[in-house]
Amino acid sequence: MNIKENISLKELNSFHLDVKTKLFVEVFSEDELREILSQEPFCALPKLILGGGSNILFTKDFDGLVIKNSIPGIKVTNENDREIYVEAGSGLLWNDLVRFCIKKNYGGIENLSLIPGTVGAAPIQNIGAYGQELKDVFYSLKGISLEDISTKVYSKNECEFGYRDSIFKRELKGRFYITSVIVKLNKNPEVNLNYSALKEEFQKLDLKEIRIRDVSEVVCKIRRSKLPNPEDLGNAGSFFKNPEITEEVYLKLGKEFYDLNSHKLTSGNYKISAAWLIDKCNWKGKSIGNVGVHAKQPLVLVNLNNASGIEILDLSRRIKKSVFEKFGIMLEEEVNLV
Ligand code: FAD
Ligand code: EPU
């Protein structure tokens, strides 16, 4: 196995932050992973599992072993008249799995087209977009404990999925290496146009029949129109989560802000648009030194010019402070801070 020392992670994180890791290895199979986890001196070192690096903010160099996940593979494990179970290696790009399924007309992940990163990271925050979440199609995942190298399978219930959340972001944070994921898809797909921006686009198109590949194309078009491509401008997508507030807070804010952007949840609470909150604090398009707030989507913080992670963290703290002062709402990071 090729262990590298003191290498830069600049090309391996979507913010393009020039941090170093003490040790680095890329793994292509479960066997390679087991080998590295059981070997001295690696077993005792702090470890970071790295997928596409599109949801990580490095605030300093990493004093341990970064394991870049490149476990490949895609196969059908089971099927019946209606459903098909597709298993993907965790190092496969998420969008490659989406494209594979669209080509075969397996429905259920087309609204999640073009989300950057790997299959293995998708369950960590239960990726979601345009009216779909991974949990809607998730069947199970397999992986290896970084502590005792045991193999474990997690069912959907055991993953404790929530909005941008799972057990792997909490109790099992940094302790479990996901090696493969199984999704259960529909062989006779029905398109999901519940997300209003998507519905509006299709009303304009006025198609006779809408296939999942049409949904994917429209999702890609919307995404390209508002989210910066990390290849051109370092970013990690939404930096914060959309906050949830109680009805009481919602009613109070509604009196002051007639255009409050929110929707009611089944719990009776309300989800507020973090982009709207940040926009109302006049952060859109602003920059401080080497970092900035994207002009088309203020939830996205961008690296304008060889910024450090600390500069991005500092900008995020200023934004949190001003949103809190104006609305009494504390934003929570979606991005993983390292
Ligand atoms: P990384 O950033 O490499 O890792 C993220 C976290 O998961 C880290 O804590 C890491 O240690 C851990 N991890 C990674 N792989 C594994 C593994 N195999 N086992 C255990 N732990 C692991 N997200 C959405 O939900 N919806 C969106 O619409 C969306 N749009 C985005 C748009 C842009 C332009 C960008 C840059 C990001 C966007 N994201 C979105 C965020 C990001 O794409 C997802 O969170 C994605 O799942 C991260 O994948 P990754 O492989 O890059 O993970
Ligand atoms: N908005 C503003 N000002 C702006 C831009 C947007 O007020 O300049 C408001 C608009 O009112 C708009 C609302 O924000 O209606 C929502 O915007 P958008 O449709 O882009 O959705 P979002 O809530 O900002 C979420 C996810 C995205 C996901 C999209 C589409 C979170 C934290 N973010 O963004 O996920 O792609 O919905 O479903 O839930 C990510 O997680 O990294 C990510 C990009």
Side-chain angles (χ1 to χ4, degrees):
M1 231 168 305
N2 187 5
I3 309 277
K4 295 177 181 158
E5 280 179 54
N6 267 326
I7 71 148
S8 167
L9 298 173
K10 190 171 180 181
E11 300 310 320
L12 297 174
N13 72 95
S14 64
F15 267 124
H16 301 306
L17 301 168
D18 195 5
V19 288
K20 284 203 169 67
T21 174
K22 191 172 177 183
L23 293 167
F24 177 90
V25 67
E26 184 169 5
V27 301
F28 296 90
S29 69
E30 281 191 25
D31 287 346
E32 280 185 3
L33 177 61
R34 277 177 205 291
E35 195 186 324
I36 199 88
L37 293 179
S38 54
Q39 258 178 45
E40 295 278 356
F42 309 118
C43 47
L45 286 174
K47 293 173 194 71
L48 174 74
I49 307 163
L50 185 63
S54 64
N55 208 18
I56 291 184
L57 176 69
F58 285 104
T59 56
K60 52 181 183 300
D61 290 342
F62 188 71
D63 190 22
L65 173 67
V66 166
I67 309 178
K68 166 85 181 103
N69 176 33
S70 295
I71 298 176
I74 185 161
K75 64 176 188 227
V76 169
T77 56
N78 205 348
E79 67 184 296
N80 57 40
D81 291 349
R82 289 166 294 117
E83 292 146 343
I84 185 135
Y85 295 72
V86 180
E87 178 168 25
S90 59
L92 186 75
L93 285 181
W94 170 260
N95 200 45
D96 285 353
L97 173 63
V98 173
R99 289 201 332 218
F100 170 89
C101 294
I102 289 170
K103 222 173 183 173
K104 303 266 185 192
N105 202 36
Y106 304 153
I109 52 176
E110 58 281 359
N111 298 43
L112 304 177
S113 293
L114 219 59
I115 297 183
T118 53
V119 165
I124 305 287
Q125 72 159 9
N126 175 29
I127 55 168
Y130 298 95
Q132 263 172 11
E133 283 186 317
L134 176 72
K135 76 171 167 51
D136 305 333
V137 294
F138 181 91
Y139 181 69
S140 69
L141 62 78
K142 197 168 74 164
I144 294 177
S145 159
L146 291 186
E147 285 156 7
D148 61 8
I149 323 180
S150 61
T151 301
K152 186 160 164 45
V153 173
Y154 281 85
S155 68
K156 182 168 160 172
N157 268 346
E158 287 171 318
C159 292
E160 298 176 9
F161 289 125
Y163 163 66
R164 298 293 190 271
D165 194 34
S166 76
I167 193 168
F168 307 103
K169 257 192 131 169
R170 292 179 273 108
E171 292 93 309
L172 292 177
K173 190 175 167 67
R175 296 169 55 196
F176 188 75
Y177 193 118
I178 297 169
T179 55
S180 64
V181 174
I182 301 182
V183 287
K184 183 170 106 178
L185 302 172
N186 197 332
K187 285 164 87 172
N188 305 299
E190 281 176 27
V191 295
N192 167 357
L193 305 183
N194 295 333
Y195 201 85
S196 55
L198 202 51
K199 203 188 289 166
E200 283 160 23
E201 280 298 316
F202 277 102
Q203 274 161 359
K204 282 189 235 157
L205 287 174
D206 194 24
L207 300 177
K208 278 204 189 73
E209 186 200 355
I210 303 174
R211 298 153 305 171
I212 58 172
R213 90 165 82 118
D214 302 316
V215 175
S216 173
E217 270 173 31
V218 170
V219 165
C220 291
K221 189 179 147 211
I222 301 175
R223 292 183 68 93
R224 287 193 179 108
S225 73
K226 59 167 87 170
L227 292 168
N229 182 347
E231 294 302 312
D232 309 326
L233 193 58
N235 77 90
S238 302
F239 195 91
F240 301 104
K241 298 184 199 177
N242 286 327
E244 195 176 317
I245 56 170
T246 61
E247 185 163 35
E248 193 191 340
V249 175
Y250 167 78
L251 292 173
K252 206 168 133 238
L253 284 177
K255 280 188 194 144
E256 204 178 332
F257 302 96
Y258 68 96
D259 59 340
L260 186 63
N261 189 328
S262 64
H263 72 268
K264 195 169 185 174
L265 302 168
T266 45
S267 64
N269 284 349
Y270 286 77
K271 186 68 83 55
I272 303 278
S273 158
W276 183 87
L277 294 169
I278 299 170
D279 199 356
K280 283 280 165 195
C281 293
N282 293 319
W283 277 106
K284 199 152 86 171
K286 288 231 168 107
S287 61
I288 299 181
N290 298 315
V291 295
V293 178
H294 192 51
K296 291 184 190 155
Q297 175 35 296
L299 205 38
V300 178
L301 306 190
V302 293
N303 176 357
L304 296 169
N305 182 27
N306 283 325
S308 70
I310 292 294
E311 284 176 280
I312 290 168
L313 189 64
D314 182 54
L315 174 63
S316 76
R317 286 181 176 153
R318 287 172 189 243
I319 292 171
K320 276 172 89 161
K321 187 166 178 280
S322 60
V323 167
F324 186 73
E325 282 169 3
K326 193 172 176 77
F327 297 99
I329 295 172
M330 188 55 87
L331 292 177
E332 200 186 316
E333 290 77 13
E334 174 191 303
V335 168
N336 298 280
L337 305 182
V338 175

